[in-house]
Coordinates of all heavy atoms in Angstrom, one line a residue:
Chain A
I9 N 47.4 36.5 27.3 CA 46.1 37.0 27.7 C 46.1 37.5 29.1 O 46.6 36.9 30.0 CB 45.0 35.9 27.6 CG1 44.9 35.4 26.2 CG2 43.6 36.4 28.1 CD1 43.9 34.2 26.0
V10 N 45.7 38.8 29.3 CA 45.7 39.4 30.6 C 44.2 39.4 31.1 O 43.3 39.8 30.3 CB 46.1 40.9 30.5 CG1 46.1 41.6 31.8 CG2 47.5 41.0 29.8
I11 N 44.1 38.9 32.3 CA 42.7 38.8 32.8 C 42.5 39.9 33.9 O 43.1 39.9 34.9 CB 42.4 37.4 33.4 CG1 42.7 36.4 32.2 CG2 41.0 37.3 33.9 CD1 42.5 35.0 32.6
G12 N 41.7 40.9 33.5 CA 41.5 42.0 34.4 C 42.0 43.3 33.7 O 43.2 43.3 33.3
A13 N 41.2 44.3 33.6 CA 41.6 45.6 33.0 C 41.7 46.7 33.9 O 41.2 47.8 33.7 CB 40.7 45.9 31.8
G14 N 42.2 46.5 35.1 CA 42.5 47.6 36.1 C 43.8 48.1 35.7 O 44.4 47.8 34.7
P15 N 44.4 49.0 36.6 CA 45.7 49.5 36.3 C 46.8 48.5 36.1 O 47.7 48.6 35.2 CB 46.0 50.4 37.5 CG 45.0 50.1 38.5 CD 43.8 49.5 37.8
A16 N 46.7 47.4 36.8 CA 47.8 46.3 36.7 C 47.6 45.7 35.3 O 48.6 45.5 34.6 CB 47.6 45.3 37.8
G17 N 46.4 45.3 34.9 CA 46.2 44.6 33.6 C 46.5 45.5 32.5 O 47.1 45.1 31.5
L18 N 46.0 46.8 32.6 CA 46.3 47.7 31.5 C 47.7 48.0 31.3 O 48.2 48.1 30.2 CB 45.5 49.0 31.7 CG 43.9 48.9 31.6 CD1 43.3 50.2 32.1 CD2 43.5 48.6 30.1
T19 N 48.5 48.1 32.4 CA 49.9 48.4 32.3 C 50.6 47.2 31.6 O 51.4 47.3 30.7 CB 50.5 48.6 33.7 OG1 49.8 49.7 34.3 CG2 52.0 48.9 33.6
A20 N 50.2 46.0 32.1 CA 50.8 44.8 31.5 C 50.5 44.8 30.0 O 51.3 44.5 29.1 CB 50.2 43.5 32.1
G21 N 49.3 45.2 29.6 CA 48.9 45.2 28.2 C 49.7 46.3 27.4 O 50.1 46.0 26.3
I22 N 50.0 47.4 28.0 CA 50.8 48.5 27.4 C 52.2 47.9 27.1 O 52.7 48.0 26.0 CB 50.9 49.7 28.3 CG1 49.5 50.4 28.3 CG2 52.0 50.7 27.8 CD1 49.4 51.5 29.4
Y23 N 52.8 47.3 28.2 CA 54.2 46.8 28.0 C 54.2 45.7 27.0 O 55.1 45.7 26.1 CB 54.7 46.3 29.3 CG 55.4 47.5 30.0 CD1 54.7 48.4 30.7 CD2 56.8 47.6 30.0 CE1 55.3 49.5 31.4 CE2 57.4 48.7 30.6 CZ 56.7 49.6 31.3 OH 57.3 50.7 31.9
S24 N 53.3 44.7 27.0 CA 53.5 43.6 26.1 C 53.1 43.9 24.7 O 53.8 43.6 23.8 CB 52.6 42.4 26.6 OG 51.3 42.8 26.7
S25 N 52.1 44.7 24.5 CA 51.7 45.0 23.1 C 52.8 46.0 22.5 O 53.1 45.9 21.3 CB 50.3 45.6 23.0 OG 50.1 46.6 23.9
R26 N 53.4 46.8 23.3 CA 54.4 47.7 22.8 C 55.7 46.9 22.4 O 56.4 47.3 21.5 CB 54.8 48.7 23.9 CG 55.7 49.8 23.3 CD 55.5 51.1 24.1 NE 56.4 52.1 23.5 CZ 57.5 52.6 24.0 NH1 58.0 52.1 25.1 NH2 58.2 53.5 23.3
A27 N 55.8 45.7 23.0 CA 56.9 44.8 22.7 C 56.6 43.9 21.5 O 57.2 42.9 21.3 CB 57.4 44.0 23.9
K28 N 55.4 44.2 20.9 CA 55.0 43.4 19.7 C 54.6 42.0 20.1 O 54.7 41.1 19.3 CB 56.0 43.4 18.6 CG 56.5 44.7 18.1 CD 55.5 45.3 17.1 CE 55.9 46.7 16.6 NZ 55.2 47.8 17.2
I29 N 54.1 41.9 21.3 CA 53.6 40.6 21.8 C 52.1 40.7 21.6 O 51.5 41.6 22.1 CB 54.0 40.4 23.3 CG1 55.5 40.3 23.5 CG2 53.2 39.3 23.9 CD1 56.1 39.0 23.1
K30 N 51.5 39.7 20.9 CA 50.0 39.9 20.6 C 49.2 39.7 21.9 O 49.3 38.6 22.6 CB 49.6 38.8 19.6 CG 48.3 39.1 19.0 CD 47.9 38.1 17.9 CE 46.5 38.5 17.4 NZ 45.7 37.3 17.1
T31 N 48.5 40.7 22.3 CA 47.9 40.7 23.7 C 46.4 40.9 23.6 O 45.9 41.8 22.9 CB 48.6 41.9 24.5 OG1 50.0 41.8 24.4 CG2 48.1 41.9 25.9
L32 N 45.7 40.2 24.5 CA 44.3 40.4 24.7 C 44.1 40.6 26.1 O 44.6 39.9 27.0 CB 43.5 39.1 24.2 CG 42.1 39.0 24.6 CD1 41.2 40.1 23.8 CD2 41.5 37.6 24.4
I33 N 43.3 41.6 26.5 CA 42.9 41.8 27.9 C 41.4 41.6 27.9 O 40.6 42.1 27.1 CB 43.1 43.3 28.3 CG1 44.6 43.7 28.1 CG2 42.8 43.4 29.8 CD1 44.9 45.1 28.6
I34 N 41.0 40.8 28.9 CA 39.5 40.6 29.1 C 39.1 41.0 30.5 O 39.8 40.9 31.5 CB 39.1 39.2 28.8 CG1 39.7 38.2 29.8 CG2 39.4 38.7 27.4 CD1 39.0 36.9 29.8
D35 N 37.9 41.6 30.6 CA 37.4 42.1 31.9 C 35.9 41.7 32.0 O 35.2 41.9 31.0 CB 37.6 43.6 32.0 CG 37.6 44.0 33.5 OD1 36.5 43.8 34.1 OD2 38.6 44.5 34.0
T36 N 35.5 41.3 33.2 CA 34.1 41.0 33.4 C 33.3 42.3 33.6 O 32.1 42.2 33.5 CB 33.9 40.1 34.6 OG1 34.7 40.7 35.6 CG2 34.4 38.7 34.3
G37 N 34.0 43.4 33.8 CA 33.2 44.6 34.1 C 33.8 45.7 33.2 O 34.0 45.5 32.0
T38 N 33.9 46.9 33.8 CA 34.3 48.1 33.1 C 35.8 48.2 33.0 O 36.4 48.0 34.1 CB 33.7 49.3 33.8 OG1 32.3 49.1 34.0 CG2 33.9 50.6 33.0
I39 N 36.3 48.7 31.9 CA 37.8 48.9 31.8 C 38.2 50.0 32.8 O 37.6 51.0 32.8 CB 38.2 49.3 30.4 CG1 37.8 48.1 29.4 CG2 39.7 49.6 30.3 CD1 37.9 48.5 28.0

Side-chain angles (χ1 to χ4, degrees):
Chain A
I9 297 176
V10 181
I11 302 177
L18 289 170
T19 305
I22 289 170
Y23 271 79
S24 59
S25 48
R26 191 155 183 254
K28 304 278 180 256
I29 295 284
K30 197 178 175 219
T31 308
L32 170 69
I33 306 181
I34 64 164
D35 199 300
T36 47
T38 307
I39 298 170

